[in-house]
Amino acid sequence: MKPKAVTLKDVAAAANVSRATAARALNGYGYVGGDAAERVRTVARELGYRGNRIAQALRQGELPLIGFVPGDILNPFFSQIAHDLDMELRGSRHNLLIAASQEDPEQERQVIDSLRALALRGLIIAPATSDPNPQLAAMLEEGYPLVLIDRVPEGLDCDQITVDNREGARNAVDYLIRSGHRRIALIHDGSRIGTARERLAGYSEALESRGIAADPALIAESPSTVSHAIDATIRLFHRQDPPTALFTVDSLMTQGAMLAFRSLGLSMPHDVSLVGFDDFDMATFSDPQITVVSQPIKKIGPLAVEMIMARIQGSRAPARHVQFPTQLTVRGSVSRPRSA
Amino acid sequence: MKPKAVTLKDVAAAANVSRATAARALNGYGYVGGDAAERVRTVARELGYRGNRIAQALRQGELPLIGFVPGDILNPFFSQIAHDLDMELRGSRHNLLIAASQEDPEQERQVIDSLRALALRGLIIAPATSDPNPQLAAMLEEGYPLVLIDRVPEGLDCDQITVDNREGARNAVDYLIRSGHRRIALIHDGSRIGTARERLAGYSEALESRGIAADPALIAESPSTVSHAIDATIRLFHRQDPPTALFTVDSLMTQGAMLAFRSLGLSMPHDVSLVGFDDFDMATFSDPQITVVSQPIKKIGPLAVEMIMARIQGSRAPARHVQFPTQLTVRGSVSRPRSA
DNA sequence: GCCCCATATGAGACCGGTCTCACAAGATGG
DNA sequence: CCATCTTGTGAGACCGGTCTCATATGGGGC
């Protein structure tokens, strides 16, 4: 009941050699006699010797671990990325430590601190806010391997992978306009999360470039949850002069809008058109299927691993800023407005 | 560019005390003079001293890490659990290492091996198969803290959390029978995964207890992916004498069935009834919403943490086998068969 | 036969902490 | 005033590896 793991010393003793020789035999470096090596390997197998990575790490400085700090693993966007990181990292014999920030800056700070104490080789983070972040700045300064995904704090020149939120939103809204809509509503969380801000900006740009005055009454702010989004949608469409189309800035809100339309008895695309940012499974399960701005999620994980590995291997290259374009995935939730 | 983390030695030197005293001051044990302690703490703060958990772990044997080996994090079932584990573990100042087995026994073996080398404090595993598992048996034998969830290898008396798959399936099928169905199809993956087998058993029992002969032609086997399930469903309903109801053993298959029905032009519940095992978001987004057997997913994570922590704290109590009951969540996807 | 070098091996430093133990003071007390 | 106890502190062992360096041995070249 006291497992007492087999150590190198045990193996060395059993094979009648010194720890140094045993280590050489097992790790295959330096000079080792053929039969000594043989003996050590046999004994190690028999004893069930299993190296202690902690000791190795202590000597060499780091554990083969990469940390990932998503906003929330429950979000399919992040669980896809977590999955890809896990797969990709396995190829480099690293393991993945996941600790969600719950989209809370303070929790994020603590989580990062606790991960750093573990002497991970690097961290992949989706920062909870786009406010300047001294903690990350300090790590970057120290040369700590760091890759930011999805969102980026202001003024931090760090390896990062984002998508072109502004353009994606602009395209989506422009598509609605080209379909004949003029009264296009928007739901966003007024959050610190930069992505939402950029999507809002894209919305405004699209309207402006087509000479449509933005109506502040059509812009709703709501926390990013399905139920809040339902409320926000209902409020928007309960007006005497309701919008003919809606653009939602994330998939949770899109789901909320779908449910709200159902309860309002509005049918898509006949009564109302909908475009959401971010693709999600349900978008293809509803009837009609939902037109969305899709992001190349599957490219993010592998690229993040590539970036962090480069840093771990000591690359001092200037920070890479990769911004993926989005793509408008046209499905069935948009048509010309009835009245138009 | 060579961060050269601040070590205890640096702090001790700067505070003009020995490492021993510095350690005592920082960790608050043993005797330390008031002003020495003060000095050490101040210096530590100024230098940005951050303990090295690896060194601590080497001395004390383990890192404050728990490993989690799910089948696949993309599966919402597992991402919910991962999320709960992460949250729950934070309370005990532990971090979560996630490495998916991809439902592959060989990969599982390797993953567990690589996690063990990291000297984690314990492992929470959803075994990929229910075949006897010597690796896990050996770990158990050694007294390694281990908690199994969702599935359990044969002949392993280990802390475990499962749900009553057989009863859940029996209830679901019985519900269909009580709704007047006689020709009830089943799609399962013929997998080694025990849960699927138990659900199949529940299906058979329900039929038998109502005196309905099971028709092998109504039992389809398909890998557990949406697209395979679509094919399987189509094959089942292309028969000259199609079933009037379908029971699917997991949420991916349920989704596949929904899509297949749509493409076949069958409308639920009018043309066909559907009950799925495992609740999922989309089940409430479709029209009609899907009747499912739901599992108390949110209870699993917290309980798993409780169990593993007890083992880590040295509990030698007999293995706990917790089996949660399931609940039939009746929604709108079942009605009396047309013909009946 | 002598020197040099390649090969094989062990001793021991080291990584950064924790912790035991010995020891030096000052306080207590009889 | 000496013995004893309480404090405060440092030296150094230790965790389990890695790795440098010194040493031992044997073969080849001259």
Side-chain angles (χ1 to χ4, degrees):
Chain A
M1 272 320 186
K2 28 153 221 333
K4 214 69 206 92
V6 185
T7 73
L8 185 62
K9 199 163 66 176
D10 302 331
V11 174
N16 252 315
V17 296
S18 68
R19 283 152 56 226
T21 301
R24 277 186 288 253
L26 293 172
N27 301 317
Y29 65 93
Y31 293 113
V32 205
D35 64 339
E38 185 54 38
R39 223 168 343 122
V40 169
R41 274 189 290 260
T42 309
V43 167
R45 206 172 319 117
E46 282 169 3
L47 263 44
Y49 172 72
R50 172 183 301 130
N52 178 336
R53 262 181 212 283
I54 295 192
Q56 291 171 222
L58 179 57
R59 189 80 224 283
Q60 300 170 341
E62 292 166 328
L63 246 19
L65 295 177
I66 300 290
F68 177 42
V69 184
D72 177 7
I73 335 173
L74 279 182
N75 185 326
F77 177 80
F78 289 122
S79 55
Q80 172 74 52
I81 290 175
H83 171 266
D84 295 341
L85 291 176
D86 182 20
M87 293 293 85
E88 206 70 24
L89 248 18
R90 199 155 305 173
S92 333
R93 327 203 120 276
H94 279 65
N95 278 110
L96 186 65
L97 237 135
I98 301 184
S101 68
Q102 301 303 313
E103 305 289 11
D104 171 9
E106 176 52 22
Q107 188 138 115
E108 175 180 297
R109 230 186 35 66
Q110 290 175 13
V111 157
I112 293 177
D113 252 10
S114 87
L115 291 182
R116 289 203 63 189
L118 290 171
L120 311 183
R121 289 225 232 268
L123 235 34
I124 296 172
I125 305 180
T129 86
S130 48
D131 298 338
N133 188 323
Q135 185 187 29
L136 295 181
M139 291 168 69
L140 192 60
E141 182 70 23
E142 287 172 22
Y144 192 96
L146 201 58
V147 170
L148 267 24
I149 62 171
D150 196 42
R151 316 133 179 197
V152 182
E154 279 168 29
L156 199 59
D157 184 37
C158 175
D159 283 342
Q160 52 185 246
I161 307 173
T162 54
V163 303
D164 196 340
N165 291 296
R166 177 184 294 237
E167 191 207 32
R170 197 186 322 121
N171 286 343
V173 175
D174 198 63
Y175 172 68
L176 287 169
I177 297 174
R178 292 200 318 274
S179 300
H181 294 274
R182 287 296 172 271
R183 298 186 54 70
I184 302 171
L186 170 85
I187 307 183
H188 74 296
D189 61 341
S191 82
R192 319 148 300 236
I193 303 179
T195 51
R197 272 213 286 262
E198 292 167 23
R199 291 170 195 176
L200 171 58
Y203 164 87
S204 304
E205 277 178 28
L207 291 180
E208 192 175 343
S209 76
R210 293 283 183 169
I212 301 176
D215 179 351
L218 295 185
I219 299 184
E221 204 173 304
S222 149
S224 176
T225 71
V226 172
S227 59
H228 285 281
I230 292 178
D231 295 345
T233 307
I234 291 180
R235 258 176 284 129
L236 279 172
F237 284 82
H238 258 348
R239 304 168 41 86
Q240 70 289 29
D241 183 12
T244 62
L246 174 62
F247 175 56
T248 45
V249 302
D250 76 28
S251 65
L252 261 16
M253 298 202 176
T254 310
Q255 291 171 40
M258 290 164 66
L259 291 177
F261 289 157
R262 184 196 291 175
S263 84
L264 286 169
L266 295 173
S267 89
M268 291 183 288
H270 186 251
D271 301 323
V272 61
S273 292
L274 174 66
V275 177
F277 205 109
D278 206 2
D279 201 356
F280 57 111
D281 282 349
M282 255 164 282
T284 61
F285 272 76
S286 57
D287 184 20
Q289 297 181 37
I290 310 297
T291 294
V292 297
V293 177
S294 36
Q295 319 182 42
I297 302 192
K298 297 203 175 158
K299 291 187 182 162
I300 299 181
L303 180 57
V305 169
E306 182 196 319
M307 283 179 169
I308 201 109
M309 283 300 163
R311 291 296 167 193
I312 289 172
Q313 273 139 37
S315 159
R316 291 272 167 263
R320 291 174 63 186
H321 295 202
V322 172
Q323 185 171 52
F324 286 117
T326 58
Q327 192 190 333
L328 186 67
T329 301
V330 174
R331 297 202 264 250
S333 62
V334 173
S335 70
R336 302 198 75 76
R338 251 193 314 188
S339 46
Chain B
M1 272 320 186
K2 26 152 225 330
K4 216 66 206 94
V6 185
T7 73
L8 186 63
K9 199 163 68 177
D10 301 333
V11 174
N16 252 312
V17 296
S18 68
R19 284 152 55 227
T21 301
R24 278 188 287 254
L26 293 172
N27 301 317
Y29 65 93
Y31 292 114
V32 206
D35 64 338
E38 185 53 38
R39 227 175 332 130
V40 168
R41 275 191 288 262
T42 309
V43 168
R45 205 172 321 117
E46 282 169 2
L47 262 46
Y49 171 71
R50 169 183 303 130
N52 178 335
R53 263 181 212 284
I54 296 192
Q56 292 171 216
L58 179 57
R59 192 78 223 284
Q60 300 170 341
E62 294 166 328
L63 247 18
L65 295 178
I66 301 290
F68 177 40
V69 184
D72 177 6
I73 335 174
L74 279 183
N75 185 325
F77 177 80
F78 289 122
S79 55
Q80 172 74 52
I81 291 175
H83 171 267
D84 294 341
L85 291 177
D86 181 20
M87 292 293 86
E88 208 69 25
L89 248 18
R90 199 156 305 172
S92 334
R93 327 204 119 275
H94 279 65
N95 278 110
L96 186 66
L97 237 135
I98 300 184
S101 67
Q102 301 303 312
E103 305 289 11
D104 172 10
E106 176 52 23
Q107 188 138 115
E108 174 180 297
R109 231 187 36 67
Q110 290 176 11
V111 157
I112 292 177
D113 252 10
S114 88
L115 291 183
R116 288 202 63 188
L118 289 171
L120 310 183
R121 288 223 233 269
L123 234 35
I124 296 172
I125 304 180
T129 87
S130 48
D131 298 339
N133 188 322
Q135 186 186 29
L136 294 181
M139 290 168 70
L140 194 58
E141 181 70 22
E142 288 173 22
Y144 192 97
L146 202 58
V147 171
L148 266 26
I149 62 171
D150 196 43
R151 315 134 179 198
V152 181
E154 277 168 31
L156 199 58
D157 183 37
C158 175
D159 283 342
Q160 51 186 247
I161 306 172
T162 54
V163 302
D164 195 339
N165 290 297
R166 177 183 294 236
E167 190 208 34
R170 196 183 327 118
N171 286 343
V173 174
D174 198 64
Y175 173 68
L176 286 169
I177 297 174
R178 291 200 318 275
S179 300
H181 294 274
R182 287 294 173 272
R183 299 187 53 69
I184 301 171
L186 170 84
I187 306 182
H188 74 297
D189 61 342
S191 81
R192 320 147 299 236
I193 302 180
T195 52
R197 272 212 288 260
E198 292 167 23
R199 291 169 195 176
L200 171 57
Y203 163 87
S204 304
E205 276 178 30
L207 291 180
E208 192 174 342
S209 77
R210 293 282 185 171
I212 301 175
D215 179 350
L218 295 186
I219 298 184
E221 205 174 305
S222 148
S224 175
T225 71
V226 171
S227 59
H228 285 280
I230 292 178
D231 295 346
T233 307
I234 291 179
R235 258 177 283 130
L236 279 173
F237 285 81
H238 259 346
R239 304 168 42 85
Q240 70 289 26
D241 184 13
T244 61
L246 174 62
F247 175 55
T248 44
V249 302
D250 76 27
S251 65
L252 261 16
M253 298 203 176
T254 311
Q255 290 171 41
M258 291 163 67
L259 291 177
F261 289 156
R262 184 196 292 173
S263 83
L264 287 168
L266 295 174
S267 90
M268 289 181 290
H270 186 251
D271 301 322
V272 61
S273 291
L274 175 66
V275 177
F277 206 109
D278 206 4
D279 202 357
F280 58 110
D281 281 350
M282 254 164 285
T284 61
F285 271 77
S286 57
D287 186 19
Q289 298 181 37
I290 310 298
T291 293
V292 297
V293 177
S294 35
Q295 320 182 41
I297 302 191
K298 297 203 174 159
K299 292 185 183 164
I300 299 180
L303 181 57
V305 169
E306 182 195 319
M307 284 179 169
I308 201 109
M309 282 302 163
R311 290 296 166 194
I312 289 172
Q313 274 139 37
S315 160
R316 292 271 166 266
R320 291 174 63 185
H321 295 203
V322 173
Q323 185 173 53
F324 286 118
T326 59
Q327 194 191 333
L328 186 67
T329 302
V330 174
R331 297 201 264 250
S333 62
V334 173
S335 70
R336 302 198 75 76
R338 252 192 314 189
S339 45

